[in-house]
Amino acid sequence: MAFPFLSFLKRSQGPEAPGVHPQPFWSFRPRSDRESGDAIVSNFALHMFPAKVSRASLAWKYSFWLGTGSAALFLLLILSGGPLLFLYVPSVERAYASIKDIEYVVTFGSWLRSVHRVGAHLMVVVVALHLVRVFLTGAYKNGVGQGQKREWNWVIGVFLLLFTLLLSFTGYLLPWDQLAFWAVTVGTNIAASIPFVGPQVRELLIGGRAIDQPTLIRFYVLHIVVLPIAVGALFAYHMWRVRKDGGLAAVDKEARENELQEAPASSTKTYTLLGIARGTSPVIKATSISRLDKMVNAVPDLVRRANLVTLATIALISILATFVRSPLEEPANPLVTPNPAKAPWYFLWLQEIVTDTTIKIGSFTVNGAFVGGVVLPGLLVTLLILWPWLDRSPKEAAGVWFARARRRQNLVFLLLCAFVLTLTFVGTVMRGPYWHIYWPWEAWPDIPGRL
Ligand code: HEM
């Protein structure tokens, strides 16, 4: 070829399936296995997929494609956040006014802001649901393949969830209105309750004694540079691990049913390791199933579904954003405390525990902020990270919904989820002025000077 750098346009040489003519580009509608494989190797984005995947791992009712949904939401947040970067000004004097401009002056600004905000809230929900599905299918367990380290993908996942929460929390402050200012005040005050070093930790978080310009610039840089890069890099590693682990855990169930097959050494091929060690191909045990009737081509089967999930997610958020207006309250005012002052909804279960564990016994007060805001979430995250090593169920329980061998732990996990959901509901809907409980249909009393 005259221009070697354009060689990706040329199909590789080799026998063609009858009636198949070379095409300059890869196709979503391959007419042979060969064309399907070519689509993977000649497209940068598709490189992350293997050429063939098991039919079982594509089933909607196995994964509900929640991981792909999370990735689609992340993509949408990057796409909608880009234009907002040109319009938002990260200064305490101008942040509120710039958001007001986006809301009322910029063409489609209000819709764009809603896409970003609705997408961010939904990403927290979808990533959490993905974690629940992975737990209930025991998908952090290794099955029959060699060299699997699914427990590490679970650990990466826990960090992805934490970073998703942080992304949302840092974005919360940016409008610099009362809602933002006091939600972040409540959130960061919890850090101040750590014994001995609390005030210093809070100071490090907000860049001073009070929430002000240094806080805004810290949260802004974390929100637009540090955390998106961290999530992007961890996501790439997450996907690489799925491949290294032989695909989703559903594959292992299939593989067990089909018994591992030994691939005989090839007498014609020779392998070298960086040209140092020479030898013929070793006998390998397939990591995944080798029966072809259980496999499908990644192009089009996997790619079509991934595209469908991505487009459906984008369509859903775009439609929702036309109906849901993003809130913008009065400009931030450190002198006027809203009553009640609430953390963002995904931290309200913690704020609820903080309230419930602040107990007075005579002259002694239990430090609820430390118990509920630091010790409990710290223990929970540590337990989550260590769980794959604590779960002693057999490997037959990997990739199976509600496996009998994991019945008890699934039940405890679901009870824990119900506990968190109930507290979130109480904090969001039932807490009123002075943090008193009100039924959803009860009217709140008028508080003088309440916003
Ligand atoms: C930004 C957040 C995340 C993204 C974008 C993401 C993306 C994905 C994707 C695309 C898959 C392929 C299967 C599927 O669609 O379900 C997957 C699998 C997996 N994810 Fe995530 N994930 C995220 C967070 C998490 C979390 C919070 C956990 C758990 C703590 C987790 C643990 C796993 C595991 C263990 C697998 C393999 C599942 C299996 O073998 O069935 N991920 N992830």
Side-chain angles (χ1 to χ4, degrees), residues 62-63 65 67-68 70-71 123 127 130-131 133-134 139 150 153-154 157-158 160-161 164 235 238-239 248-249:
Y62 170 66
S63 71
W65 288 71
T68 309
S70 311
M123 184 167 166
V127 173
H130 174 55
L131 180 147
R133 147 359 232 166
V134 169
R150 291 219 175 92
N153 228 8
W154 168 266
V158 174
L160 276 171
L161 175 64
T164 304
F235 171 62
H238 198 54
M239 291 296 91
L248 299 189

Side-chain angles (χ1 to χ4, degrees), residues 123-183:
M123 184 167 166
V124 173
V125 176
V126 175
V127 173
L129 285 176
H130 174 55
L131 180 147
V132 171
R133 147 359 232 166
V134 169
F135 190 94
L136 295 178
T137 51
Y140 52 73
K141 293 177 68 66
N142 296 320
V144 288
Q146 284 187 339
Q148 291 177 325
K149 289 198 184 91
R150 291 219 175 92
E151 60 277 15
W152 284 114
N153 228 8
W154 168 266
V155 176
I156 297 163
V158 174
F159 280 98
L160 276 171
L161 175 64
L162 294 178
F163 286 165
T164 304
L165 290 173
L166 277 179
L167 255 177
S168 189
F169 185 60
T170 47
Y172 219 88
L173 183 67
L174 305 186
W176 206 252
D177 64 346
Q178 279 291 73
L179 183 71
F181 185 88
W182 289 99

Side-chain angles (χ1 to χ4, degrees), residues 144-145 250-260 286-289:
V144 288
V251 177
D252 290 84
K253 184 169 164 274
E254 293 259 295
R256 261 192 318 278
E257 283 158 14
N258 291 282
E259 267 312 302
L260 279 182
T287 335
S288 55
I289 39 176

Side-chain angles (χ1 to χ4, degrees), residues 232-389:
L234 274 186
F235 171 62
Y237 190 39
H238 198 54
M239 291 296 91
W240 182 73
R241 275 251 53 98
V242 169
R243 271 200 76 168
K244 292 292 280 184
D245 293 338
L248 299 189
V251 177
D252 290 84
K253 184 169 164 274
E254 293 259 295
R256 261 192 318 278
E257 283 158 14
N258 291 282
E259 267 312 302
L260 279 182
Q261 296 175 359
E262 299 233 319
S266 157
S267 54
T268 51
K269 281 185 185 165
T270 56
Y271 292 83
T272 75
L273 180 65
L274 296 173
I276 305 165
R278 288 180 186 282
T280 52
S281 80
V283 177
I284 48 152
K285 274 195 164 186
T287 335
S288 55
I289 39 176
S290 32
R291 274 187 47 188
L292 284 180
D293 59 329
K294 299 277 180 186
M295 306 294 276
V296 287
N297 287 325
V299 175
D301 291 57
L302 168 66
V303 173
R304 190 183 287 155
R305 288 181 199 206
N307 282 347
L308 191 70
V309 173
T310 308
L311 291 178
T313 310
I314 293 178
L316 176 77
I317 306 289
S318 307
I319 294 168
L320 274 180
T322 52
F323 297 109
V324 182
R325 287 293 297 269
S326 300
L328 187 63
E329 296 189 352
E330 302 289 306
N333 184 350
L335 302 177
V336 180
T337 316
N339 186 3
K342 295 189 179 184
W345 65 267
Y346 38 83
F347 287 149
L348 277 179
W349 62 283
L350 287 177
Q351 197 177 349
E352 197 51 43
I353 296 179
V354 169
T355 316
D356 300 334
T357 49
T358 307
I359 308 165
K360 264 196 167 189
I361 311 166
S363 58
F364 178 73
T365 309
V366 178
N367 184 347
F370 180 56
V371 176
V374 182
V375 176
L376 254 159
L379 277 177
L380 208 68
V381 170
T382 313
L383 200 64
L384 264 185
I385 288 178
L386 296 180
W387 196 253
W389 288 275

